[in-house]
Amino acid sequence: MPKAVYADLSRCIACHACELACERENENSRISLQVVRDLAAVPVSCRQCETPLCAVVCPGEALNYGDSGLEYDSEKCTGCRLCVLACPFGTAELRAGVMERCDLCQGKETPACVATCPAGALFCAEAESIGGNIRARRAERIKKALASPASAGRRVNR
Amino acid sequence: MEEKNPQPTICPYCSLGCGFYLKLEAGKAAGIRYMPEHPVNEGSLCPKGNTVLEVLNHPDRLKYPLKKTETGWERIEWEEALDLAAAKLKGSLEEYGPDSLAFLGSAKCSNEENYIFQKIARLLGTNNVDNCARLCHASTLTGLGKTLGTGAMTNPISDLACSECIFVIGSNFAENHPAVSRRVLEAKEKGAFVIVADPRMTPTSWLADLSLRLVPGTDVALLNGMMHVIVSEGLVDREFARERTKGFAELENVLQRYDPETVSRITGIPSAEIIKAARAYARAGTAAIVYSMGITQHISGTDNVTACADLALICGHIGKKGAGILPLRGQNNVQGACDMGALSEFFPGYGKVGDPEAAGRMQALWGAKKLPESPGLTATEIVGAAGKGKIKTLYVMGEDLVNSHPDSSRVKQALENLDFLVVQDIFMNDTAEYADLVLPAASFAEKEGSFTSTERRVQWLEPALMPPGEARADLEILFRLAEKLGLDFPYRDAGEVLEEISAAVPAYGGIAKERLKKDFGLIWPCPDAGHTGTPVLHTDSFMTPDGLARLVPVEHRSPAETPGPDYPFLLTTGRTVLHYNAGSMSRRCKSLLKREAELYVEIHPADARTMEIREGNKLVLESRRGSTKATARLTERVSPGVLFLPFHFPGTNVLTADALDREAKIPEFKVSACRIRRG
């Protein structure tokens, strides 16, 4: 299963650094941050779907998917925007007749958004590993909280 | 210039001192590479840091010296410009005396530039030299100065990762110092308890285990209330209080009046939460206090800072890793500008003006016959004095007074009243519009020098680029000005100035260019060439004459201006993640402006409903000083009755008042009374 950029929502501070880094590297930002009810923020970029709807609906075979992931051939693109309509996450955009979406900063070791995130909220991982990651982190935190005599009660008066 | 590509550099925005690389192409800054090895930001960068190329390559950059004429700005040669500046300074000096001159240094310029700047002012015979620290953390210098002996952050930022409790009060670091978040989150992963006290619900509050939403201007009450609980529940670190502090009895006496119920009535925070916060902070093995302008920008700013210090001291949470008091400063070199004596009451190294010994030391070092003996006017007082005609010539290096000082209309009148105004900057800002002479300066990436971050880390910045047009490094401009003024300066470059700084400022005694170029600099105090720096202050003794900290009781005082029938709303101001200070850099970045284009006002939905205000409505805000327009943003981030304006756009400080803290002379930006109507 392909890797994608995911966000740990408990860490995201809505600073938009991911958007600005992506915009600098790719001219337009391919990740967008939504603040929900002023209480949390959600950065969203291409989910790198296993069966990408954008490619399924592409009439001109500009978008193709296989073992190496999604491939895009701008020569064959008719600019029909079906991919934009089909993406359930709204992460495909058509600009000047070219479909743009997150390609994980091809050629870079780490996508710019992940590298720049001041809160360390973004990470690039395979989809099936993230549920386990989050559960493992939670468990670790609970273990630590239980192991020490709570950050309470430590002080012994002298 | 050393040829390196990519060239390591330091972010010019906030005070964290984050490192990154500039990628160069044909002498232009063409890209950014992150720097995972940097100890502060570990490769990360905030949105402003990410857009720094837009500042460097901006077409608005000032390229030539400009003189104001009747027909507009006229491009002149450097020689003429500096002759003019020197003649005007000398003219005022001869006709009206040295105190008719004033100098505003820059927290965005290097240590060497600020050092030379204040030296010029003092050799001309005036202590009227200050910097914008007066507007953000002057109360940190006074409050921590009288309690701990020095007004600086006690521990490095990375220490927060080792804290068991982090108490954040009046700091929205998630927006204003984003890389601090990674350390706080690191601590949380280890089980730390995070308390955030802020009148607004901010992204920093999202990280809190306990969020305390206090009424603006009631910080002393909250801090005293927490200390009351700590004392009455026997959570005081008695050994620490006995062995390392003085004044516990007097403090205890004052605290008696601040029981949780009384404090709850003043602050609006339920008493149970005050007790919970007090217990969590006091009981933790290591606890840190993080504060910023929510504490400092009040008429009680010094008292607020003092109360933070008292709280840390009675719990013994200072002088060790993971503990301490962390004031997050605003600008990339605000700590350094203060260390260099770009302050009206301090010589370089914080020797007090008026102390004959401190003056004697500087006189000997500078080979000066006599230095002015009485403290000069502060930044805020300089504006007042200019308005009254007492200041004739003002030299501003890298600051936009019009948008950063309170009561903009009064600032503009004061600037118009000057005989001569010189502004040295990288862009034409609203203050420069009032200038008679504008000098084009080099940006951070176009010059060399040392910068001191909020954690006292002194880093060396190397030039990556040539300045645009005829723009020159501030240091070079000052060298040539000094020559025209007949001052005999022996230095050829920043490295040589730093040599003199290490003789003038004891904490910089062992700091030299070659040492700073390695390992991301040194953290002061670094008294001699063999010393490796001091990340944690006050480990064995405090910087007071007897080595003991002072517990200083303080009382809650109401803000200078509170809402009433004519001005029913409480207006508070602050920062937002996508812009920076007066906006002369961030408002020139298209990618930032696209996301945050204009002045907005946060208003609680309940207030908006009563006044039939909808999201996006244009509102007129009025205070006793003026009026401004802003777009309504309905949000529960603010409480009912409170309005919030970011101060990055012209207009906000038209409304704010110039009520000053009596010791630090910092204006109360955080509270004023205001009314609104549909525009």
Side-chain angles (χ1 to χ4, degrees), chain A residues 19 24 38 116 154-155 157, chain B residues 50 164 234 236 282 595 635:
Chain A
E19 293 180 357
R24 189 189 63 245
D38 283 324
T116 199
R154 186 83 42 91
R155 157 123 328 121
N157 249 317
Chain B
N50 265 300
E164 289 177 17
V236 171
R595 291 170 170 82
T635 171

Side-chain angles (χ1 to χ4, degrees), chain A residues 116-127:
Chain A
T116 199
C117 182
L122 293 176
F123 54 98
C124 190
E126 287 180 3

Side-chain angles (χ1 to χ4, degrees), chain B residues 456-669:
Chain B
R456 295 173 279 113
R457 183 186 295 274
V458 190
Q459 301 185 90
W460 189 263
L461 188 75
E462 287 184 56
L465 306 160
M466 294 298 288
E470 291 177 10
R472 293 286 174 268
D474 297 85
L475 192 64
E476 197 185 321
I477 301 172
L478 296 176
F479 280 169
R480 290 177 64 186
L481 177 72
E483 201 184 307
K484 304 252 179 222
L485 288 166
L487 302 171
D488 183 22
F489 286 172
Y491 338 94
R492 279 164 304 175
D493 59 24
E496 292 187 2
V497 178
L498 185 56
E499 279 172 30
E500 184 173 312
I501 292 171
S502 65
V505 182
Y508 286 64
I511 288 178
K513 177 178 169 179
E514 288 313 312
R515 290 192 76 193
L516 293 182
K517 285 169 90 169
K518 287 180 288 198
D519 304 329
F520 310 103
L522 289 160
I523 295 182
W524 70 250
C526 174
D528 55 68
H531 199 284
T532 53
T534 315
V536 181
L537 293 180
H538 318 304
T539 47
D540 299 314
S541 74
F542 290 93
M543 288 168 164
T544 51
D546 58 8
L548 298 176
R550 299 291 185 278
L551 292 166
V552 181
V554 287
E555 298 270 11
H556 165 70
R557 276 188 300 151
S558 295
E561 191 176 86
T562 46
D566 290 340
Y567 296 94
F569 283 96
L570 190 159
L571 170 71
T572 190
T573 67
R575 292 172 280 183
T576 173
V577 70
L578 291 170
H579 283 286
Y580 184 75
N581 287 10
S584 76
M585 300 198 303
S586 65
R587 281 191 284 111
R588 283 190 169 85
C589 296
K590 279 187 191 149
S591 55
L592 296 174
L593 271 182
K594 192 163 81 181
R595 291 170 170 82
E596 202 74 276
E598 53 175 14
L599 183 61
Y600 65 86
V601 54
E602 289 182 357
I603 178 170
H604 191 276
D607 289 332
R609 206 175 308 124
T610 329
M611 303 190 66
E612 297 183 346
I613 290 167
R614 296 225 171 89
E615 179 82 19
N617 281 167
K618 300 286 176 210
L619 303 184
V620 177
L621 288 83
E622 291 166 321
S623 77
R624 289 184 176 85
R625 290 147 299 275
S627 77
T628 202
K629 286 191 181 130
T631 307
R633 192 171 284 183
L634 275 56
T635 171
E636 289 177 15
R637 282 172 74 138
V638 288
S639 300
V642 176
L643 303 174
F644 170 82
L645 279 179
F647 56 61
H648 315 297
F649 298 89
T652 299
N653 281 323
V654 170
L655 304 174
T656 51
D658 61 351
L660 303 181
D661 176 275
R662 63 188 184 285
E663 289 174 62
K665 313 281 172 69
I666 192 170
E668 187 160 58
F669 287 108

Side-chain angles (χ1 to χ4, degrees), chain A residues 30 46 48 52 54-66 68-84 92-103 106:
Chain A
R30 298 164 182 190
C46 177
Q48 317 289 345
C54 56
V56 171
V57 299
C58 181
E61 292 182 352
L63 282 163
N64 290 293
Y65 65 100
S68 56
L70 188 68
E71 276 172 14
Y72 173 64
D73 182 351
S74 62
E75 293 287 305
K76 289 186 181 160
C77 180
T78 61
C80 73
R81 283 194 163 81
L82 273 181
C83 51
V84 177
E93 293 246 25
L94 201 76
R95 288 194 184 92
V98 176
M99 201 273 277
E100 289 183 4
R101 54 139 208 148
C102 169
D103 64 357
Q106 292 277 310

Side-chain angles (χ1 to χ4, degrees), chain B residues 287-307:
Chain B
I289 298 176
V290 175
Y291 76 82
S292 192
M293 298 189 326
I295 280 291
T296 58
Q297 288 181 332
H298 289 279
I299 55 159
S300 56
T302 302
D303 291 348
N304 290 347
V305 173
T306 304

Side-chain angles (χ1 to χ4, degrees), chain B residues 39-90:
Chain B
V40 174
N41 56 316
E42 298 180 310
S44 70
L45 270 190
C46 78
K48 298 178 284 275
N50 265 300
T51 53
V52 85
L53 301 176
E54 293 177 56
V55 173
L56 290 174
N57 298 324
H58 202 283
D60 285 358
R61 284 289 304 276
L62 289 169
K63 296 179 189 72
Y64 310 100
L66 298 169
K67 186 170 88 170
K68 191 179 271 168
T69 65
E70 279 172 15
T71 51
W73 292 107
E74 182 196 330
R75 175 179 164 182
I76 58 172
E77 295 300 319
W78 269 110
E79 202 60 23
E80 187 190 343
L82 292 167
D83 279 336
L84 179 64
K88 290 293 179 182
L89 286 167
K90 278 197 271 191

